[in-house]
Amino acid sequence: MSKTAFVFPGQGSQTVGMMSDMAEAYPSIQESFAEASDALGFDLWKVVQEGPLEELNKTSITQPALLTASVAIWREYCAQGGAAPDFIAGHSLGEYTALTCAGVFTLADAASLVHARGTYMQQAVPEGAGSMAAIIGLDDDKVVELCEEVAEGQVVSAVNFNSPGQVVIAGHAEAVDRAIKGCKAKGARMGMPLPVSVPCHCSLMQDAAGQLADKLNATPMNSPVIPVINNVDVAIVSDVDGIRDALIRQLYGPVRWTETIQKLASEGVTNIIECGPGKVLSGLTKRIDKSIGGTAINTPDSLTAVLNK
């Protein structure tokens, strides 16, 4: 019997004005944002709708904004009788969304948690000292090797294995620049700096992980009601201590997204639904395994289409 998975996007899918059509169609969308705003102490919906983009792109704002957007769509899907998926997963920040939708966190607690996570991440590395870049068209192993070769005592490593031939690197800005040049010299089709202020998922996030551990320890957690595949181990963990440990390590460990989709396929998943703004993950799924069907829920029409399948 074929199985379905829901996946939730990470940072990069945010735009000013996102979710306005969903909010117009479904009052529950703004109710979810009001819930998150109460926990955060500021009007998250106002920032999402009015910007400015520089504010929305601050990692401490981006993270609760995307989490709340995806959770709001998930809630509306469930309210309209959508069937529970067999598995869920999320890319980086999206793992927190997946855990929220699986009942591990309340929305209020999750919004507060990822807001703090973004703050810790930004504080760990001064703005401009770190960077990230996408390397396109080079074998994953070669990217890993090249990063080791050009580090020169600094940090640069492969941190997001998004699809075969698409790897994101992160670390000290100068080391990332050296790695971009080196990857191009080795035959990469493209080495593109990403518009982020924080070098996520590399060892520069160790200090932030310590602070995150304290925040996680103070946040109530439940066992998931739907199996969640985590980023750092590509594993399904159901005990709260194991989930907490994986989230701490995820902050400075790579996002193994290619393996996550392969794991879903091995579990019998033939249909993956991306829930949240944008459709980045749907594109990655096609590149990882063409046999898996996929769609994105990010508009009223797309929600109706999925519910009517």
Side-chain angles (χ1 to χ4, degrees), residues 8 32 69 93 125 137 176-177 185 237 256 264 278 283:
F8 300 92
S32 290
L93 160 75
V125 181
V176 169
D177 286 345
V237 180
R256 297 162 61 188
L264 288 170

Side-chain angles (χ1 to χ4, degrees), residues 126-172:
E127 198 156 346
S131 67
M132 300 180 77
I135 306 297
I136 312 290
L138 196 62
D139 287 349
D140 296 0
D141 292 346
K142 286 184 179 172
V143 177
V144 172
E145 283 170 24
L146 195 282
C147 286
E148 289 171 3
E149 284 172 21
V150 303
E152 295 176 16
Q154 291 185 307
V155 170
V156 59
S157 55
V159 296
N160 291 1
F161 295 92
N162 286 335
S163 66
Q166 184 183 326
V167 178
V168 172
I169 61 173
H172 288 110

Side-chain angles (χ1 to χ4, degrees), residues 1-5 86-87 229 236 260-272 289 291-293:
M1 189 175 166
S2 67
K3 296 177 182 176
T4 297
D86 298 281
F87 301 94
I229 298 175
I236 297 166
T260 299
I261 300 302
Q262 291 167 342
K263 165 85 169 164
L264 288 170
S266 75
E267 294 283 354
V269 169
T270 56
N271 185 40
I272 293 181
D289 189 334
S291 72
I292 297 176

Side-chain angles (χ1 to χ4, degrees), residues 49-190:
Q49 292 309 301
E50 298 176 17
L53 184 60
E54 296 74 29
E55 185 71 10
L56 181 59
N57 279 349
K58 286 179 182 170
T59 189
S60 60
I61 306 293
T62 307
Q63 294 193 36
L66 284 171
L67 178 135
T68 304
S70 293
V71 170
I73 296 171
W74 165 262
R75 285 175 164 183
E76 186 60 36
Y77 166 84
C78 294
Q80 292 196 38
D86 298 281
F87 301 94
I88 52 181
H91 188 287
S92 188
L93 160 75
E95 186 171 324
Y96 289 80
T97 313
L99 290 165
T100 304
C101 295
V104 174
F105 301 115
T106 64
L107 174 57
D109 284 343
S112 173
L113 182 59
V114 300
H115 176 62
R117 179 178 181 260
T119 302
Y120 303 149
M121 290 165 71
Q122 190 65 75
Q123 288 170 347
V125 181
E127 198 156 346
S131 67
M132 300 180 77
I135 306 297
I136 312 290
L138 196 62
D139 287 349
D140 296 0
D141 292 346
K142 286 184 179 172
V143 177
V144 172
E145 283 170 24
L146 195 282
C147 286
E148 289 171 3
E149 284 172 21
V150 303
E152 295 176 16
Q154 291 185 307
V155 170
V156 59
S157 55
V159 296
N160 291 1
F161 295 92
N162 286 335
S163 66
Q166 184 183 326
V167 178
V168 172
I169 61 173
H172 288 110
E174 302 89 350
V176 169
D177 286 345
R178 289 195 296 274
I180 291 171
K181 292 187 181 79
C183 286
K184 284 180 175 173
K186 294 262 186 182
R189 223 172 40 250
M190 190 185 297

Side-chain angles (χ1 to χ4, degrees), residues 180-238:
I180 291 171
K181 292 187 181 79
C183 286
K184 284 180 175 173
K186 294 262 186 182
R189 223 172 40 250
M190 190 185 297
M192 182 174 65
L194 298 177
V196 295
S197 55
V198 174
C200 308
H201 301 294
C202 72
S203 60
L204 294 176
M205 291 291 109
Q206 291 272 13
D207 288 349
Q211 294 175 287
L212 179 64
D214 293 339
K215 179 74 172 172
L216 276 164
N217 284 326
T219 302
M221 295 173 67
N222 305 302
S223 294
V225 296
I226 303 167
V228 181
I229 298 175
N230 68 27
N231 286 183
V232 75
D233 300 317
V234 196
I236 297 166
V237 180
S238 56

